[in-house]
Amino acid sequence: MAEFKSKIKPIEWIDTYTRMVDQTKFPDKYEYVDIKTGQEMFDAIKTMIVRGAPAIGIAGAQGVTLYAQELASKHLALGEFKKQLLEKADYLVSSRPTAVNLFWAVEKQKEIINKSNISIENLIDELKVNGKKIELEDIEINKKIGDYGAMVVPKGATILTHCNAGALATGGYGTALGVVRSAFANDPSVKVFADETRPRQQGARITTLELVMDGIPVTLITDGMCSYFMKKGMIDMVVVGADRIAANGDAANKIGTYMVAIAAKYHNIPFYVAAPLSTIDKNIKSGDEIVIEERSHEEVTVINGKRICPEGVNVINPGFDVTPHELIAGIITEKGILRPDYNKSIAEAFNM
Ligand code: MRU
């Protein structure tokens, strides 16, 4: 399988801080911001300077390290240091509730805090190493997801995706767009249709940007157009990412994904979810248990600083929806493509 080299490095731990691409500035600017405190990391996750489930997991893990570095200057006893650090870790995960990767990665750091009976200095070193490891492993996991996914991409396929599950949503390479990258490396006639993804426009602002940067053909459509193009036979498959997948395969992803999955089913187009095992929450039986983030109403009422509707209108703005497992042809993971019955295939993947 040919390897695709991406130019994008969205998040990186550098010695004592995290450098990340500021995703709120796209498409006008592509610039980096250095995050040097735990509170800055909380704000970066909350305001979506960094976004995408695996990327906020990496950010969360490195945020714990930032808090540890700050607490070290207070010269606390080890027990008190750990207590305060665990409180900060719990605060960090409250920044965004839906993506399980944030909880997963912070939990990995908490395991280190809880087990360690070493000096504060060594504990911080372990947190640094682990935060970096989560960052680097994510890229390798994405490449495996990409290579498994590429096996089910037909020659010359047009792949529809929703939101951004790309390099910029991960440590690099991407999940759904990792599948695209690996498929494109073998077959340069593969192309992408990107849903705009209201209200934050991750498809228009982020997916198109990273595909253009990497030289992969992409066509931007608005969210309401997908069934039109499916009916015309212009979409061969759908691949999206996920923020949390239940034990039965129900998958939460950016609001609008469910609509795409229903349209794909109607038109007999395979709908795949690409995600690492760290996105699977085995503790929940179905998608009904997934907490859906409610976001600010201004994301709906205001576009580019201009109000688009009258004052006084009611607004609801859930950030995610849940696609029922029966609409999902396969879940592409680093351990292979999981197929229905998902209760069984997911359990088996964790035992591999
Ligand atoms: O609100 P966002 O931009 O963080 O939402 C991102 C998504 O829904 C992605 O599709 C998902 O996190 C998968 S990223 C590999």
Side-chain angles (χ1 to χ4, degrees):
M1 182 141 321
E3 201 186 324
F4 187 91
K5 296 257 180 266
S6 175
K7 295 190 182 71
I8 301 160
K9 181 73 187 122
I11 180 163
E12 185 174 16
W13 177 262
I14 303 172
D15 197 23
T16 57
Y17 63 91
T18 301
R19 175 161 291 168
M20 57 175 70
V21 178
D22 183 346
Q23 303 198 29
T24 61
K25 302 270 171 65
F26 298 157
D28 300 336
K29 291 183 185 148
Y30 191 93
E31 59 186 30
Y32 293 90
V33 57
D34 291 342
I35 304 294
K36 296 191 169 167
T37 69
Q39 185 59 46
E40 282 174 12
M41 188 60 92
F42 179 96
D43 295 339
I45 298 171
K46 181 106 190 151
T47 61
M48 296 170 68
I49 288 173
V50 60
R51 33 91 21 223
I56 63 177
I58 296 162
Q62 298 182 355
V64 174
T65 315
L66 294 173
Y67 271 126
Q69 289 178 161
E70 287 166 74
L71 282 174
S73 64
K74 285 189 171 178
H75 305 293
L76 302 167
L78 182 64
E80 184 58 25
F81 176 87
K82 283 185 179 185
K83 183 174 155 280
Q84 291 195 22
L85 188 53
L86 289 169
E87 283 167 11
K88 295 293 186 191
D90 289 341
Y91 170 65
L92 259 178
V93 295
S94 70
S95 53
R96 293 198 74 188
T98 303
V100 74
N101 308 62
L102 176 60
F103 295 77
W104 172 87
V106 169
E107 200 51 47
K108 295 266 166 215
Q109 295 292 56
K110 282 168 82 172
E111 281 167 20
I112 291 177
I113 301 167
N114 281 325
K115 82 164 188 215
S116 183
N117 242 340
I118 50 175
S119 68
I120 290 177
E121 206 182 13
N122 288 348
L123 173 50
I124 293 173
D125 282 345
E126 276 202 37
L127 293 173
K128 275 188 194 176
V129 169
N130 195 45
K132 186 75 190 175
K133 182 167 164 254
I134 291 173
E135 170 194 317
L136 296 177
E137 276 181 359
D138 190 59
I139 303 171
E140 293 316 308
I141 288 169
N142 287 343
K143 286 184 178 162
K144 286 185 186 149
I145 291 172
D147 290 350
Y148 280 119
M151 292 178 194
V152 291
V153 176
K155 180 146 183 47
T158 298
I159 304 171
L160 175 75
T161 193
H162 190 77
C163 193
N164 173 263
L168 288 158
T170 61
Y173 205 73
T175 54
L177 295 190
V179 173
V180 168
R181 286 190 167 88
S182 293
F184 183 80
N186 295 313
D187 171 14
S189 63
V190 161
K191 48 207 164 303
V192 173
F193 267 42
D195 280 349
E196 167 193 33
T197 317
R198 274 285 282 152
R200 292 285 295 223
Q201 284 145 335
Q202 289 95 331
R205 293 186 310 110
I206 308 177
T207 292
T208 60
L209 178 82
E210 71 167 76
L211 292 178
V212 167
M213 280 176 76
D214 273 349
I216 300 174
V218 57
T219 301
L220 175 64
I221 63 172
T222 66
D223 296 351
M225 293 178 187
C226 79
S227 39
Y228 173 82
F229 288 113
M230 286 177 179
K231 186 164 185 213
K232 278 183 161 294
M234 289 170 69
I235 309 290
D236 299 297
M237 67 189 297
V238 179
V239 188
V240 298
D243 289 82
R244 192 182 290 243
I245 300 172
N248 70 347
D250 292 350
N253 193 47
K254 182 52 52 193
I255 193 79
T257 304
Y258 180 23
M259 172 180 77
V260 178
I262 293 169
K265 186 77 171 181
Y266 184 78
H267 293 96
N268 273 323
I269 294 167
F271 176 98
Y272 286 94
V273 171
L277 291 184
S278 57
T279 301
I280 299 178
D281 185 350
K282 287 182 299 170
N283 298 322
I284 55 170
K285 289 199 185 74
S286 82
D288 294 342
E289 293 175 60
I290 297 175
V291 177
I292 301 293
E293 178 181 7
E294 173 69 25
R295 296 194 53 87
S296 114
H297 292 177
E298 282 67 39
E299 288 186 349
V300 178
T301 57
V302 177
I303 295 183
N304 284 343
K306 190 165 167 16
R307 198 173 165 90
I308 55 153
C309 55
E311 295 288 347
V313 71
N314 291 328
V315 176
I316 312 180
N317 184 20
F320 301 91
D321 58 27
V322 178
T323 298
H325 58 91
E326 53 281 16
L327 300 183
I328 302 172
I331 301 174
I332 307 166
T333 74
E334 69 272 31
K335 296 272 179 80
I337 303 182
L338 314 184
R339 302 283 185 181
D341 167 351
Y342 290 115
N343 275 312
K344 196 160 162 275
S345 55
I346 286 175
E348 280 167 7
F350 277 96
N351 288 329
M352 273 166 130

